[in-house]
Amino acid sequence: MGNIKEYDRERVLAYAHEWAFLRNPKYYDFSQIGGDCTNFASQCVLAGSGVMNYTPEHGWFYKSANNRTPSWTGVEFFNSFMLREKSSPGPFMRHVDVEEIMPGDIVQLRFSGKPAFSHCPVVVSVGKYPHPTNILVAAHTYDAYNRPLSTYVYEQVRYLHVLGVNA
């Protein structure tokens, strides 16, 4: 489709730093209706990619609270979109082991008793040898910045590493 461009991790980190404890007025705050974590993660990824995918239903975009794709705000839909074939516009990712995670990547958590992944923090810092104790994240709903991943009580984790952006 288009050209592959680099994902700007510094822009992701700057966005996460600015908005982790605030709400960008350009976006609706979904905290009271299911959670705002994937909305915030999508905003961060957009800051680093600069490209939305306007394909109805199966793309990844936000125009308003009522005009967005499920992948913009839903953890499982976000995962599915980001793992798609990289021929369509937007950022693309793959699941990696913890050792490959980098700042600007995404972590998804499945909590005990939940059938699906339901939290989507943004990685803002990683230690020399990545481990949940030195992977720091930013998130919305329960706002956090520089929170160690190990402080979450989760049953399952998956790491999404951004490979690039199809422009």
Side-chain angles (χ1 to χ4, degrees), residues 109-112 147 149-156:
L109 304 174
R110 186 176 68 78
F111 298 112
S112 182
R147 179 177 175 174
L149 184 59
S150 61
T151 64
Y152 288 96
V153 179
Y154 55 88
E155 198 163 285
Q156 195 175 2

Side-chain angles (χ1 to χ4, degrees), residues 75-113:
V75 176
E76 293 290 356
F77 292 106
F78 179 93
N79 182 65
S80 294
F81 175 79
M82 294 302 171
L83 297 177
R84 79 200 183 287
E85 291 295 318
K86 61 185 178 188
S87 60
S88 64
F92 53 93
M93 305 177 182
R94 69 177 170 91
H95 289 163
V96 296
D97 292 330
V98 66
E99 297 83 17
E100 296 178 68
I101 203 74
M102 296 172 62
D105 287 341
I106 303 296
V107 174
Q108 293 187 326
L109 304 174
R110 186 176 68 78
F111 298 112
S112 182

Side-chain angles (χ1 to χ4, degrees), residues 6 18 22-23 57 87 91 96 108 142 148 163:
E6 194 170 328
E18 182 174 357
L22 301 170
R23 298 299 184 267
E57 293 181 41
S87 60
V96 296
Q108 293 187 326
Y142 301 104
L163 298 169

Side-chain angles (χ1 to χ4, degrees), residues 17-159:
H17 184 291
E18 182 174 357
W19 295 105
F21 295 108
L22 301 170
R23 298 299 184 267
N24 184 333
K26 294 179 186 176
Y27 301 95
Y28 185 79
D29 179 1
F30 296 92
S31 293
Q32 301 303 312
I33 54 170
D36 199 53
C37 63
T38 308
N39 179 38
F40 177 64
S42 287
Q43 292 171 43
C44 291
V45 171
L46 179 62
S49 68
V51 178
M52 288 189 199
N53 180 313
Y54 291 99
T55 305
E57 293 181 41
H58 300 292
W60 177 73
F61 70 84
Y62 178 99
K63 292 182 181 178
S64 71
N66 296 316
N67 188 0
R68 68 185 194 286
T69 51
S71 60
W72 189 269
T73 52
V75 176
E76 293 290 356
F77 292 106
F78 179 93
N79 182 65
S80 294
F81 175 79
M82 294 302 171
L83 297 177
R84 79 200 183 287
E85 291 295 318
K86 61 185 178 188
S87 60
S88 64
F92 53 93
M93 305 177 182
R94 69 177 170 91
H95 289 163
V96 296
D97 292 330
V98 66
E99 297 83 17
E100 296 178 68
I101 203 74
M102 296 172 62
D105 287 341
I106 303 296
V107 174
Q108 293 187 326
L109 304 174
R110 186 176 68 78
F111 298 112
S112 182
K114 300 283 186 184
F117 285 81
S118 59
H119 194 45
C120 197
V122 178
V123 177
V124 295
S125 180
V126 175
K128 184 175 180 180
Y129 302 104
H131 182 271
T133 57
N134 65 23
I135 294 172
L136 305 181
V137 298
H140 271 189
T141 305
Y142 301 104
D143 296 359
Y145 186 76
N146 279 336
R147 179 177 175 174
L149 184 59
S150 61
T151 64
Y152 288 96
V153 179
Y154 55 88
E155 198 163 285
Q156 195 175 2
V157 61
R158 62 185 174 206
Y159 302 99

